[in-house]
Amino acid sequence: MSLATYPFALSRRRFLAEVGAVAILSGVTVPARAAGRALPPPPITPRIPFVRTQVGRTRTDPYAWIKYVPASGQRSIETLPAPVREHLLAENAYSRAVLERVAADEAAFFSTMQARLPNGDAEPNLTRDGWAYDTAYPDGSHALYSRRRIGSSVVETLLDEAVRASGEAYYRTTGQQVSPDGTCYAWAEDVGGNDRHRICVRDIVSGAVRTLVDSDAYGYGGLIFSPSSDWLFWIWRDARNRPTRVYRTPVKGGARVLVYEEADPAIFMQVSRTAADGFVTITLSGPDTSEVRLIPVKGETDAPVVVWPRAEGRRYSIEEWNGDLVALIEDADALDGRIARVDRGTFVERGDLVPHRGGTQILQMASFQGALVRLERRDVLPRMVLTLPGGEEREVTISGNAYALTIPIGQDHRGTTCRAMIETPASPPRWVDVELTSGRSTVIATQRIAGFDPARFEVRRLFATAADGARVPITLLTRKGAIADGTGPLLLYGYGAYGVSSEALFDVAPTVLVERGWSYAIAHVRGGSEKGRRWFLDGRLHAKYNSFGDFVACAQHLIAERHAARDKVVSYGLSAGGLLVGASLNAAPELWAGVIGSVPFVDMLNTMSDADHPLVPLFRPDWGDPLSSATDYDYMASISPYENVRRAAYPPLLTTAGLKDDRVGYWEPAKLVAEVRARSTSASPAMLLTDMAAGHQASGGREAENRKMARFYAFAQGCVEGMFA
């Protein structure tokens, strides 16, 4: 599972920025590929039957003993029970030994990816209040945040991640922001790998850095300066890692004050500030409900006021624009969203600014004095529309059949242009400034990458037909002019959960794979929101099997259209995408040359039966509740990858885990791997690599991501070349 939150669908870029992907063990020295010798024997995983009965159903879990949750404190290699520790170390050793066969490919992939790391200099500065804010990567991996006065060459360092990360086994930051008065800079940093952050504030004038919150903060949408810059509002995580309290702490130092506490474990929370700096917002949300509480700038120490009480089936978010509040609302009558004017004093609706249009989903609204900008999606493609104060609309023209569109947050509300970023899997980002009055756009920068030529690639949008007739979008990246002759290998990626869209983003890694003769495809299966809210609902709860059927249909379509050889398709899924590739593996093991699951959610039934899991109450509307519903139990038991491994010839399987992960426990892939070994009739390896320092995501820095993808791609290459036979 993931911490993708609602109230509206997230882009894949934001989602990945927040939840990331666990780092694969790095720094392993391995010899060149070696074929022709027998694979090493895998670890023997003891089967110790554990019988559990619930809702009148009984099951036996032979690998339940692998799961370890400490009574208190953080899980580490030192605190693991000896049998579990020895098992994970043995799994790592076995996986490294098997992957020695593709070490040369791994080194080659990694070297090429590293050579093409953009240094950030091509990304144009965002300007605000006379300052230009910059992000660069001087060491190629860690971010350096800085600013300078427009017209001045004097640069002020705000945050140097490389310096802060020095000496830390794990380091990742989030929530970076400048105070409204421009005197302070704040960020959240995780040095333990468990998403329990500390919050730091830099006095920009003096350069002094103070730890304002020393532990247990939630960083992802969990901190914001007040409009006056006097306070920092932040979210605290409880012992189960659930964000449950909002505190207010003086920026200059002092005691924290409790602002709000949420008792419902099925509610998630975030804090933000409206674009015009009129309010601090506390957004409380679940998959099918939300509630916003406002704290006005003139009463920053007042109790937050509820806009509309939460109601099942209605989700909304609040922004400030043109003297009013505006609300993006989704409910039964506006499935894909509408934007309403709301009186800022009484919270009474004053009519729709943008009415609901079925099939056109509103994803985001960004407020400027001169226009309300919205990001929406229709027929898979995103688009940008401006609403002027008088009600006129301007649509920004964007060409292409498969692209991603991003509107960066934190732009100057008083600015006359809106910055947007456009990219495709074949084309690095280009940044445009859109005039708010006319809608005209001007390209101001394009990211340049050494050794990369966009003209060597092409992107196509295809559609597969699912068993029930649904047309499932596919984004396909190939070499320019590549002939579809049915002989080449293909990597198929999918996610399909929580309404999170798999956007057509640019990423150096897939282009390196494509240069090696591969095709790379994204399957936009149901469960995401690529075709609107209905597309999400049709791949959720008791309709979840649609996601798996869509994924298999996409693979079969690409084979039928000769974009891949029948025996050279490798699947890849991350987190909840692990459920997708795991279930598809069980459904059609003969279809895949190999399967990659990164921190994969594959022990669905057991995890959703754990009421103490930090995410289970939140995500019951998405997956069901097997503790109270026999119907939910039976459906979950029919699709959970671990529960449905069968007697068949399974292909090579590579999974990864983070020891400190409290979202998808390391035991989920460990149990799947053990069960595949026990039941598969083939000699193909099933592997687990556990990063002992990380949680659900990697330590910050782009090098770790490249190491991970190089290992995945080398494994995929080995699968199609028969290196694991």
Side-chain angles (χ1 to χ4, degrees), residues 10 54 142 179 198 226 270 286 303 318 331 402 455 509 536 552 700 713 717 723:
L10 303 176
Q54 59 195 83
H142 292 93
S179 60
R198 63 190 183 197
S226 68
Q270 292 186 305
I318 294 291
D331 55 25
F536 160 50
V552 170
Y713 290 175
Q717 189 76 43
M723 297 298 294

Side-chain angles (χ1 to χ4, degrees), residues 152-403:
S152 171
S153 60
V154 178
V155 176
E156 297 179 351
T157 295
L158 302 173
L159 168 61
D160 187 337
E161 287 188 344
V163 172
R164 300 286 298 182
S166 179
E168 301 287 356
Y170 183 98
Y171 186 81
R172 173 175 286 272
T173 70
T174 186
Q176 303 89 350
Q177 59 188 277
V178 69
S179 60
D181 66 4
T183 65
C184 294
Y185 192 78
W187 66 92
E189 59 185 24
D190 177 8
V191 295
N194 60 353
D195 284 342
R196 302 186 78 92
H197 296 84
R198 63 190 183 197
I199 299 177
C200 302
V201 175
R202 176 186 290 273
D203 183 309
I204 300 176
V205 176
S206 70
V209 176
R210 293 179 295 106
T211 301
L212 197 68
V213 180
D214 58 5
S215 64
D216 297 334
Y218 178 68
Y220 303 112
L223 64 151
I224 198 74
F225 283 105
S226 68
S228 69
S229 302
D230 292 338
W231 305 91
L232 189 82
F233 288 81
W234 58 277
I235 294 174
W236 174 83
R237 306 191 77 159
D238 66 14
R240 294 179 178 174
N241 247 358
R242 292 172 179 153
T244 56
R245 297 178 189 167
V246 177
Y247 283 100
R248 181 183 69 243
T249 298
V251 171
K252 301 302 183 183
R256 66 182 65 171
V257 177
L258 180 64
V259 176
Y260 176 78
E261 183 168 11
E262 177 59 51
D264 187 347
I267 292 294
F268 198 76
M269 62 172 60
Q270 292 186 305
V271 292
S272 59
R273 197 174 62 242
T274 54
D277 285 341
F279 300 90
V280 168
T281 65
I282 301 174
T283 300
L284 309 164
S285 59
D288 296 315
T289 188
S290 63
E291 176 181 289
V292 177
R293 297 177 178 234
L294 298 179
I295 302 170
V297 62
K298 294 183 179 179
E300 291 181 347
T301 61
D302 293 349
V305 178
V306 177
V307 177
W308 301 316
R310 67 193 74 170
E312 197 68 19
R314 181 180 67 180
R315 306 179 303 152
Y316 70 97
S317 63
I318 294 291
E319 188 48 275
E320 184 181 11
W321 182 65
N322 197 26
D324 281 328
L325 298 177
V326 286
L328 173 52
I329 303 166
E330 292 181 3
D331 55 25
D333 296 323
L335 199 62
D336 288 315
R338 62 184 175 91
I339 299 178
R341 293 183 182 273
V342 179
D343 185 276
R344 64 189 299 133
T346 64
F347 304 144
V348 173
E349 284 194 47
R350 297 172 55 186
D352 282 347
L353 186 66
V354 180
H356 175 252
R357 297 145 299 150
T360 299
Q361 186 179 31
I362 304 173
L363 305 173
Q364 178 187 351
M365 52 184 181
S367 173
F368 297 84
Q369 283 185 347
L372 183 69
V373 181
R374 71 179 185 270
L375 178 64
E376 61 186 30
R377 192 192 322 273
R378 186 173 186 85
D379 296 329
V380 193
L381 293 175
R383 62 184 185 180
M384 181 178 177
V385 183
L386 317 179
T387 300
L388 306 185
E392 308 97 319
E393 287 200 342
R394 307 274 190 272
E395 182 175 346
V396 179
T397 302
I398 302 171
S399 60
N401 61 7
Y403 59 83

Side-chain angles (χ1 to χ4, degrees), residues 4 31 51-52 121 135 147 167 177 237 290 295 377 391 393 398 447 450 471 545 590 608 621 653:
V51 178
R52 181 167 186 173
D121 293 340
T135 303
R147 73 174 186 179
Q177 59 188 277
R237 306 191 77 159
S290 63
I295 302 170
R377 192 192 322 273
E393 287 200 342
I398 302 171
Q447 189 178 71
R471 298 183 74 235
Y545 194 82
E590 73 285 350
M608 292 305 298
L653 170 65

